[in-house]
Amino acid sequence: MSSTIDPLDTHIRDAVASRYSVIGQDPAAEVVIPVGRSWAERLGYPASLIESVPVSALASFTGIGAPALIADLAPGDQVLDLGCGAGLDTVIIARWVAPHGHVHAVDLAPGMIAAARESVRAAGVHNVTVWQAFAEHLPLPDASIDVAVVNGLFNLAPDKIAVASELGRVIRPAGRLLGAEIVITDDRLPQSFDPESWFR
Ligand SMILES: C[S@@+](CC[C@H](N)C(=O)[O-])C[C@H]1O[C@@H](n2cnc3c(N)ncnc32)[C@H](O)[C@@H]1O
């Protein structure tokens, strides 16, 4: 992992924190990024799960897919939900791995962290720790995670190597990583950083 942080990386992470904080607190204001219940339905979350989670978790949902649904989680698993957003996957997973399993939900955006904490409270789950932290510097010990779920974080993180390195550090040997991600195949990317283009 790099020991110094590139100023552009800091700029991008600040833009991500700002944009996703607004989505966490006022999802109806977002007009570019797909958000909310109808998006979760389109991505394949079944009605039985959608009906079982708090409004806060659904309203600010911004996942890219539904990797938690194919994670084959079991009671007792120690799980990382990296880039947890408002906590839809967090709450679903917490119920699956209870009572002895635990979910570490991590996000950098204060507005999303507040929404995730509200989702955890409203869901009545007690086996979750919500961390406001960078994916590039996880507040978790080495080899402490059985399964990591990453639903749409990599495309937003400027230093993807650092994120991958941290995942490699915290997932135990023979542990698993399940993710959903956006892949850009268009080679007409802007030459200079434009905060708005980062979210398209
Ligand atoms: C596309 S959203 C998906 C949120 C959530 N997984 C869901 O399914 O609703 C990605 C999330 O990752 C968070 N994020 C992006 N870059 C991050 C980073 N470097 N460290 C921690 N969180 C980050 C954002 O704040 C945002 O909440």
Side-chain angles (χ1 to χ4, degrees):
M1 184 186 311
S2 53
S3 55
T4 57
I5 300 177
D6 186 312
L8 179 57
D9 287 5
T10 302
H11 186 42
I12 292 172
R13 290 199 309 201
D14 287 349
V16 169
S18 172
R19 182 65 165 265
Y20 279 87
S21 279
V22 172
I23 298 174
Q25 296 303 299
D26 185 14
E30 179 56 52
V31 295
V32 174
I33 299 168
V35 178
R37 177 182 179 131
S38 60
W39 180 235
E41 288 169 344
R42 278 186 62 189
L43 291 178
Y45 285 84
S48 56
L49 280 181
I50 284 178
E51 297 300 338
S52 74
V53 296
V55 170
S56 55
L58 260 183
S60 298
F61 170 74
T62 53
I64 302 299
L69 301 186
I70 56 167
D72 196 24
L73 294 162
D77 280 341
Q78 305 298 304
V79 182
L80 168 63
D81 182 6
L82 186 58
C84 63
L88 176 62
D89 290 335
T90 299
V91 166
I92 291 170
I93 293 167
R95 289 175 173 155
W96 284 341
V97 301
H100 300 302
H102 198 90
V103 183
H104 294 276
V106 174
D107 206 287
L108 59 66
M112 281 298 194
I113 289 293
R117 291 195 168 125
E118 169 56 20
S119 300
V120 167
R121 186 203 63 74
V125 290
H126 301 288
N127 56 338
V128 175
T129 306
V130 179
W131 304 87
Q132 184 180 346
F134 294 123
E136 297 85 345
H137 300 280
L138 293 173
L140 298 171
D142 295 358
S144 57
I145 295 297
D146 297 310
V147 182
V149 173
V150 190
N151 193 354
L153 177 139
F154 270 98
N155 71 94
L156 297 167
D159 190 348
K160 299 174 203 325
I161 300 294
V163 176
S165 173
E166 275 296 80
L167 284 165
R169 183 183 67 78
V170 302
I171 298 172
R172 67 167 169 78
R176 293 180 294 126
L177 165 64
L178 287 103
E181 207 36 270
I182 300 171
V183 177
I184 297 175
T185 55
D186 188 339
D187 60 4
R188 292 169 296 155
L189 293 172
Q191 294 304 304
S192 58
F193 175 63
D194 164 12
E196 194 51 37
S197 72
W198 199 252
F199 302 105
R200 291 199 174 130

